């Protein structure tokens, strides 16, 4: 008989989290619950060997049950901070593994389990329900069994129709009636107050059902019990309704949807990032294709033992057709993390033979890779790191004539469509129309991937060239890989003693603010719970309700900001949130990211994340440390020059986006202001208000600053009125005056929107493209957002291109001139270096001259360069 295994994902992930000690990936992502879940899944496959599988998750807390009873599960605290991100992570992992993941709006995962088991359980298909929740015992039938986790996640008890009564003293048909009487504290199901499990069991055993209990109420002994039952009859029936798992959801799934399709090609890179490499062969063993030979699947080339790496390095061993272009595609499996990543194994395909080797013979590998005219990969940065010698980029990125040698297919895909979040192999095979990756053993997967890469090269290059993106690829993005690797390997030093002291101070202040909030509110509550906070603010304190969400009152930052003047409590809550964010994200987060060997933090710079071309960083995200607040500056102050260096140097572009706007629009007044070195905000205020610059007040300058930057983002009169605290009429008048003084700016913005409507996309000054699928949408909000994006992307994207050009040039000069001082970070429009004193003045000159001359605009680029003992002081 075939078997369908359906898993209570939310329950099992929660149990896995508390069953295992804290674990984090190399990037600092919490992973213990996901790791525990996967080990449990492997064991289930070994023991149950299902033919079909589905995993159900709760979709939010608001369900039909909360509509029936608003306090349902209301006593549950928010999930621990390290658990919350793992809910989305496990779903991503399961989907990559080809496992069907199901959530239903307005229902719980249990309702999905119940409906699937009712729909598919039959004499031909056994349903196995995997859960940690005894509520699911009500789903047991002759065709459906429940496996309950007993101890952590490793020990499970199979409960069937045959053994349930022996185990619990009642059958599945009695579960909800017993729960109706005794309630459930974990779900906050009230039941009948004063009736416990023992009494509930006795009543149902004697009267069979809840209706039977009330039909025989006069026969029940015990005056007090009878009174409780009568007084809470309505509550009892409500409790049964809450406890009943729905089995009649009309889910849009056929049995074929639950056929698990495991693709190592998707899972393995994800597992490498998460640090789960040891799980991959176990998963392949229980879920993958049993074939060990690549040539058995889809006519793939097998790993050719008779062709060695030496043969591949020696051109006489290669076929004549190969000599003409000498292309190789490579896919590697890595060990370790930055800055100590190494190659575990590498697959190299030259169009005829696939050679597999390990990373021990790095010199010969470099001979092969540097001997080819083209190296096709998706792993450029990792390969540069693993095969680097004293410097990164031992693999040459360019041929002697300046033509790119490295064809990074993922990077090309990013340039073609920068709005995606993943550029993995499955997407690439679809984008460039090559056969999909075959499944099977690790060798099968890797051989399939490297062969697919080779096939992708031609369509990828042709598409990038046809879309006029090749120049961007070769002049900015490809050289940037080397620059980013240098910064990642350099890392940045953080003073651990100051980090510890700052953490203690911040946490003490957090507790103090929390107590002040409790005192002002007159009770304790979970400040991080929007529901509980909403009750305090809008029901207890009677503050005006600004907006509501599906789950109740909104207490987001925008709402609280609008309520600042309504109660001093609001300021305290905002202060609490600020400190809490800094503690959890940076102070606690930074401590675990300090590398044991370098004593530095090695952030990851993400080249293929933002739609505008801007870089982002992760683990930690150094882009988002607030620089304008005292608390944010205290975080920045923790970063200082490391051993052997004397000072940090910051080089920051001044008002680069406004300068780009002046250049792209060609507005004469705006260009004149920058060319003459005017205070642009004071100049704008004077232009708009028709007064001398020396007569402009600080408030007027502040208003002009808001509109200068707001124009770049397509600000509306509503947005400006909200930002400045003025009426919409005043805001509209200000915007109209602005455009009357800078008419070419208005013309430029209109032209960008018009071009977007006509072509469906916009470009930066350097050709970076962004598709705008909603630009002609009938939905006003989506169309308006696309129009604002059309105005902003060419400006913000051009700024991103310029800072990338600058950092590439700076790094090139640092290496060429043999400086000891080195590049550490790029944050928005700022480069951060650590320098030695004897090179300090030369470094400051190099930064200013290089960054200001890297591109020629109609207005001067200005770079502010400062040095100091820590990152906070250089700004």
């Amino acid at each position: 008989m075939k078997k369908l295994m359906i898993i209570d994902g939310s329950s099992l992930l929660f149990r896995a989290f508390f069953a295992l000690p804290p674990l984090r990936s190399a990037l600092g992502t919490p992973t213990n619950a996901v790791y525990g879940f996967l080990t449990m899944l492997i064991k289930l496959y070994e023991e149950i060997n299902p033919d079909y599988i589905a995993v159900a998750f709760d979709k939010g807390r608001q369900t039909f049950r909360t509509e029936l009873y608003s306090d349902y599960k209301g006593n549950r605290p928010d999930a621990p901070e390290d658990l919350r991100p793992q809910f989305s992570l496990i779903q991503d992992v399961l989907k990559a593994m080809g496992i069907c993941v199901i959530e239903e709006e307005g229902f719980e995962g249990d309702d999905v389990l119940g409906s699937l088991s009712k729909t598919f359980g039959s004499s031909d298909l056994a349903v196995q329900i995997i859960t940690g929740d005894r509520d699911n015992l009500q789903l047991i039938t002759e065709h459906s069994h429940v496996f309950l986790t007993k101890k952590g996640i490793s020990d499970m008890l199979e409960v069937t129709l045959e053994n349930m009564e022996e185990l619990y003293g009642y059958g599945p048909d009695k579960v909800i009636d017993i729960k109706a009487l005794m309630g459930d504290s974990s779900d906050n199901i009230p039941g009948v107050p004063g009736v416990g499990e023992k009494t509930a069991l006795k009543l149902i055993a004697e009267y069979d059902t809840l209706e039977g209990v009330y039909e025989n109420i006069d026969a029940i002994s015990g005056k007090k019990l009878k009174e409780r039952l009568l007084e809470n009859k309505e509550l009892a029936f409500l409790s049964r309704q809450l406890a009943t798992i729905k089995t009649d959801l009309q889910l849009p799934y056929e049995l074929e949807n639950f056929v698990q399709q495991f693709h190592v090609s998707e899972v393995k890179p994800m597992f490498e990032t998460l640090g789960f490499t040891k799980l991959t062969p176990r998963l392949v063993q229980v879920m993958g294709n049993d074939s060990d030979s690549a040539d058995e699947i889809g006519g793939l080339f097998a790993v050719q033992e008779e062709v060695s790496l030496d043969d591949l390095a020696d051109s006489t061993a290669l076929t004549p057709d190969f000599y003409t272009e000498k292309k190789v595609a490579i896919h590697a499996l890595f060990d370790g993390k930055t800055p100590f990543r190494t190659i575990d194994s590498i697959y190299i395909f030259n169009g005829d033979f696939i050679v597999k080797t390990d990373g021990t013979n790095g010199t010969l590998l470099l001979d092969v890779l540097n001997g080819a005219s083209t190296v096709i990969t998706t792993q450029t940065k990792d390969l540069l790191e693993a095969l680097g010698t004293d410097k990164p980029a031992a693999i040459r990125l360019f041929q002697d004539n300046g033509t790119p040698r490295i064809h990074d297919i993922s990077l090309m895909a990013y340039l073609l469509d920068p709005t995606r979040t993943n550029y993995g192999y499955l997407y690439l095979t679809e984008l460039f129309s090559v056969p999909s990756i075959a499944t099977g053993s690790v060798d099968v997967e890797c051989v399939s991937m490297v062969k697919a890469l080779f096939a992708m090269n031609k369509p990828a290059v042709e598409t990038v060239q046809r879309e006029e993106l090749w120049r961007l690829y070769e002049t900015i993005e490809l050289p940037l890989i080397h620059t980013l690797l240098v910064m990642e390997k350099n890392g940045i030093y953080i003073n651990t003693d100051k980090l510890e002291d700052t953490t203690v101070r911040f946490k003490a202040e957090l507790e103090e603010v929390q107590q002040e909030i409790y005192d002002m509110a007159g009770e304790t509550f979970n400040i991080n719970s929007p529901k509980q906070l909403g009750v305090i603010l809008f029901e207890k304190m009677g503050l005006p309700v600004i907006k509501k969400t599906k789950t109740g009152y909104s207490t987001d930052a925008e709402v609280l900001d609008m309520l600042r003047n309504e109660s001093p409590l609001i300021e305290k809550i905002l202060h609490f949130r600020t400190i809490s964010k800094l503690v959890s994200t940076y102070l606690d987060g930074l401590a675990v990211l300090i590398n044991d060997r370098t004593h530095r933090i090695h952030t990851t710079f993400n080249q293929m994340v933002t739609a505008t071309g801007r870089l982002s960083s992760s683990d930690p995200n150094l882009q988002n440390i607030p620089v304008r607040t005292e608390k944010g500056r205290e975080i920045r102050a923790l970063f200082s020059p490391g051993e052997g260096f004397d000072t940090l140097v910051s080089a920051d572009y001044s008002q680069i986006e406004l300068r780009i706007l002046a250049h792209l629009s060609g507005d004469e007044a705006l260009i004149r202001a920058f060319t003459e070195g005017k205070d642009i905000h004071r100049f704008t205020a004077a232009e708009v208000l028709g007064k001398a610059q020396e007569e402009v007040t600080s408030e007027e300058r502040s208003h002009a600053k808001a509109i200068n930057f707001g124009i770049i983002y397509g600000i509306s009169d509503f947005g400006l009125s909200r930002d400045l605290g003025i009426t919409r009429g005043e805001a509209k008048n200000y915007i109209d005056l602005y455009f009357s003084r800078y008419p070419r700016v208005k013309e430029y913005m209109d032209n960008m929107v018009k071009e977007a409507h006509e072509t469906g996309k916009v470009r930066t000054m350097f050709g970076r493209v962004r598709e705008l699928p909603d630009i002609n949408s009938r939905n006003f909000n989506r169309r308006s957002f696309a129009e604002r994006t059309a105005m902003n992307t060419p400006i913000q994207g051009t700024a991103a291109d310029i800072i990338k050009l600058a950092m590439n040039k700076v790094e090139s000069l640092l290496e060429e001139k043999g400086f000891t001082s080195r590049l550490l970070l790029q944050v928005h429009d700022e480069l951060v270096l650590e320098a030695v004193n004897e090179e300090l003045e030369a470094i400051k000159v190099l930064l200013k001259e290089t960054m200001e001359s890297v591109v020629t605009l109609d207005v001067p680029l200005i770079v502010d360069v400062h040095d100091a003992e820590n990152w906070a002081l250089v700004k």
Side-chain angles (χ1 to χ4, degrees), residues 520-521 535-544 566-570:
M520 295 172 76
V535 170
I536 295 293
L537 297 181
F538 305 115
E539 294 182 11
K540 182 173 182 177
M541 299 184 64
L543 298 184
E566 299 290 336
S567 169
L569 178 61
I570 302 298

Side-chain angles (χ1 to χ4, degrees), residues 451-468:
K451 187 167 179 255
L453 267 175
F454 198 90
M456 287 176 197
N457 183 60
K458 184 177 180 180
V461 172
E462 288 178 348
T463 306
V464 170
Q465 290 176 338
R466 184 174 62 250
E467 295 297 323
E468 301 178 344

Side-chain angles (χ1 to χ4, degrees), residues 5 40-50 52-53 97 99 260 286-287:
M5 182 167 71
M40 174 273 299
L41 188 60
I42 291 170
K43 183 177 180 182
L44 288 170
Y45 261 87
E46 291 172 342
E47 295 182 357
I48 295 177
N49 190 25
Y52 309 96
I53 180 172
M97 292 167 62
I99 292 174
Q260 184 260 323
V286 298
M287 299 181 192

Side-chain angles (χ1 to χ4, degrees), residues 36-178:
F37 191 107
L38 293 174
T39 58
M40 174 273 299
L41 188 60
I42 291 170
K43 183 177 180 182
L44 288 170
Y45 261 87
E46 291 172 342
E47 295 182 357
I48 295 177
N49 190 25
D51 300 281
Y52 309 96
I53 180 172
V55 183
F57 287 90
D58 298 336
K59 189 172 179 65
R61 288 192 173 185
Q62 294 304 304
T63 67
F64 76 95
R65 292 181 178 88
T66 53
E67 292 178 7
L68 291 170
Y69 183 62
S70 61
D71 288 334
Y72 177 71
K73 291 191 176 181
N75 59 334
R76 287 194 178 182
D78 290 340
E81 184 172 335
D82 278 0
L83 174 58
R84 288 199 293 272
Q86 296 191 66
F87 279 97
S88 60
L89 179 58
I90 188 60
Q91 293 192 32
D92 290 342
V93 170
L94 291 171
K95 290 172 184 176
M97 292 167 62
I99 292 174
C100 183
V101 174
I102 305 176
E103 296 177 302
E104 282 295 308
E105 191 77 48
F107 299 95
E108 296 179 53
D110 288 351
D111 300 315
V112 174
L113 299 180
S115 299
L116 291 179
S117 62
K118 178 71 176 294
T119 301
F120 293 105
S122 70
S123 57
D124 297 320
L125 183 67
V127 176
Q128 318 284 11
I129 300 169
I130 317 299
T131 182
D133 191 346
R134 280 174 54 179
D135 289 352
N136 286 288
L137 295 177
Q138 64 186 275
L139 301 178
I140 292 175
T141 67
E142 58 181 322
H143 306 306
S144 300
H145 297 181
V146 168
F147 286 75
L148 275 177
T149 54
K150 291 174 60 182
K151 191 180 297 181
I153 55 172
S154 60
D155 190 11
M156 289 203 168
L157 172 68
E158 183 178 7
V159 187
T160 68
L161 202 58
E162 290 73 29
N163 69 3
M164 181 174 170
E165 193 153 351
E166 179 183 342
L167 289 169
Y168 297 103
Y170 55 89
D173 59 318
K174 301 293 190 291
V175 173
I176 58 174
D177 290 310
I178 292 169

Side-chain angles (χ1 to χ4, degrees), residues 656-665 794-795 798-799 802 857:
I656 187 170
E657 291 187 352
L658 286 174
R659 293 172 188 272
I660 291 168
L661 174 62
H663 172 81
L664 293 177
S665 69
I795 299 169
T798 298
I802 290 174
L857 303 180

Side-chain angles (χ1 to χ4, degrees), residues 226-260:
K226 189 182 299 184
E227 287 178 357
R228 287 171 176 164
L229 289 168
L230 287 170
E231 289 173 2
N232 296 283
K233 180 178 179 180
E234 187 176 335
L235 209 54
F237 279 92
L238 171 63
S239 297
R240 185 172 69 172
Q241 198 173 357
L242 295 173
T244 301
I245 294 174
K246 295 188 76 64
T247 59
D248 58 354
L249 298 184
Q250 299 300 306
L251 300 172
Y253 298 95
E254 301 293 336
L255 195 57
E256 288 70 27
N257 296 125
F258 307 136
V259 176
Q260 184 260 323

